[in-house]
Amino acid sequence: MEVPFSDKEYYAEHFDARDYLETYYTFSPEKEAENALATFTMKNLHKSFFGGGLKGDTLIDIGSGPTIYQFLSACEFFREIIASDYTDQNREEMQRWLKKEPGAFDWSPVVKYVCELEGDREKWAQKEEKVRSSIKQVLKCDVTQPNPLAPISLPPADCLLSTYCLELASKDLPAFRSALKNIGSLLKPGGHLVFASALELTFFMIGQRRFGCLYLEQKTLEEAVKGAGFDIEWVETTKFTIPLPLIDSTGACFVVARKH
């Protein structure tokens, strides 16, 4: 049965940030399948920043959700990070962790995993503090708008990061292409887009609630990135099997591209 697309109002009303974190970002041996997407992404983020030479003053993350894993490598190479998300509950959940509030989600297993990629698992506490000091703002964003951060207008960033956002926020392919152009407007010419998307995804679950998404194939995704004014520098894909009741994606695509 086809799952209807979940629009931004549906997310604002029904997305449970804490349930999402506990479902997809609780690292444990028995959750290896659920963690496959996160580990694939973190390995490629590490490759992008530590091996790819991406660095600068400002990085903007579009559609951060309630997560901080995407900043663990980037924080070593950018003076300031600006996080953003459409829903209040996601921004509030991130702020709980940034402010070390009681009951904030425990990211330490994920942070230790990334520190291990960097060669020193024991520096995880310093890494958490580096992320906290790097994130200067947590803003509302809407990728359907020409300026996704409106009414705020920021100087163009050196790097734009977006992981698993646009396929959730775009009702069809024209909307996806438009969203890529919208977020691209936040980036300097010559700046880099670091982008990850689930492939062939039509839904994912949080608790008993189902969220409908845009089905994307790799070729379509790459064409959209090029059409938004980017030259693709490298692409990495993976296939994985996550328990079908949770998510029906067949894999993921990670892209690093440079703006014309």
Side-chain angles (χ1 to χ4, degrees):
M1 144 182 138
E2 191 172 337
V3 182
F5 175 73
S6 301
D7 62 18
K8 56 192 178 186
E9 286 76 22
Y10 187 85
Y11 276 86
E13 186 175 351
H14 297 297
F15 192 88
D16 187 319
R18 191 51 179 257
D19 204 357
Y20 170 74
L21 291 177
E22 288 173 357
T23 301
Y24 295 101
Y25 294 96
T26 300
F27 263 39
S28 61
E30 63 271 17
K31 282 202 161 195
E32 189 176 343
E34 289 93 329
N35 296 151
L37 185 59
T39 53
F40 164 77
T41 312
M42 287 185 282
K43 283 176 183 173
N44 282 291
L45 288 168
H46 172 75
K47 177 181 170 183
S48 302
F49 295 107
F50 280 84
L54 306 188
K55 59 186 177 183
D57 288 326
T58 305
L59 178 145
I60 298 175
D61 183 43
I62 294 293
S64 305
T67 66
I68 59 93
Y69 75 89
Q70 66 272 34
F71 308 129
L72 295 171
S73 295
C75 71
E76 305 291 344
F77 298 93
F78 289 87
R79 188 175 52 80
E80 69 168 8
I81 291 172
I82 295 163
S84 69
D85 198 77
Y86 182 77
T87 72
D88 296 342
Q89 59 269 37
N90 281 342
R91 298 193 307 277
E92 288 162 8
E93 186 68 42
M94 183 185 290
Q95 291 282 15
R96 268 192 278 280
W97 183 83
L98 291 173
K99 295 173 181 175
K100 300 185 184 178
E101 292 180 6
F105 186 72
D106 178 14
W107 281 101
S108 61
V110 173
V111 179
K112 287 173 184 174
Y113 173 81
V114 171
C115 288
E116 201 168 318
L117 292 177
E118 294 174 14
D120 186 0
R121 184 180 173 85
E122 298 311 310
K123 68 175 184 179
W124 67 270
Q126 296 99 294
K127 174 72 83 175
E128 288 195 345
E129 291 314 305
K130 185 78 179 267
V131 172
R132 288 187 173 100
S133 65
S134 298
I135 297 175
K136 307 300 186 187
Q137 299 183 76
V138 181
L139 303 176
K140 187 178 179 79
C141 78
D142 182 349
V143 300
T144 66
Q145 301 304 308
N147 170 14
L149 301 176
I152 291 170
S153 185
L154 295 177
D158 300 292
C159 185
L160 190 65
L161 176 62
S162 188
T163 56
Y164 312 108
C165 167
L166 297 195
E167 69 274 35
L168 278 55
S170 307
K171 69 179 187 299
D172 53 27
L173 198 49
F176 181 78
R177 293 189 186 111
S178 176
L180 268 171
K181 288 175 182 170
N182 293 342
I183 70 171
S185 70
L186 303 171
L187 187 63
K188 288 177 181 175
H192 281 90
L193 170 70
V194 180
F195 184 76
S197 177
L199 295 177
E200 300 177 358
L201 172 72
T202 68
F203 77 88
F204 69 97
M205 301 291 293
I206 301 176
Q208 299 303 307
R209 201 168 290 279
R210 189 177 290 232
F211 291 80
C213 311
L214 175 65
Y215 180 96
L216 278 176
E217 295 176 345
Q218 182 182 345
K219 184 182 176 190
T220 311
L221 187 155
E222 290 183 26
E223 285 171 351
V225 169
K226 291 172 187 172
F230 293 93
D231 295 317
I232 293 175
E233 295 192 341
W234 60 273
V235 177
E236 191 78 42
T237 59
T238 187
K239 296 281 186 188
F240 50 76
T241 307
I242 291 175
L244 280 178
L246 285 181
I247 181 170
D248 70 344
S249 174
T250 62
C253 184
F254 190 98
V255 177
V256 174
R258 186 189 286 266
K259 185 173 177 178
H260 291 172

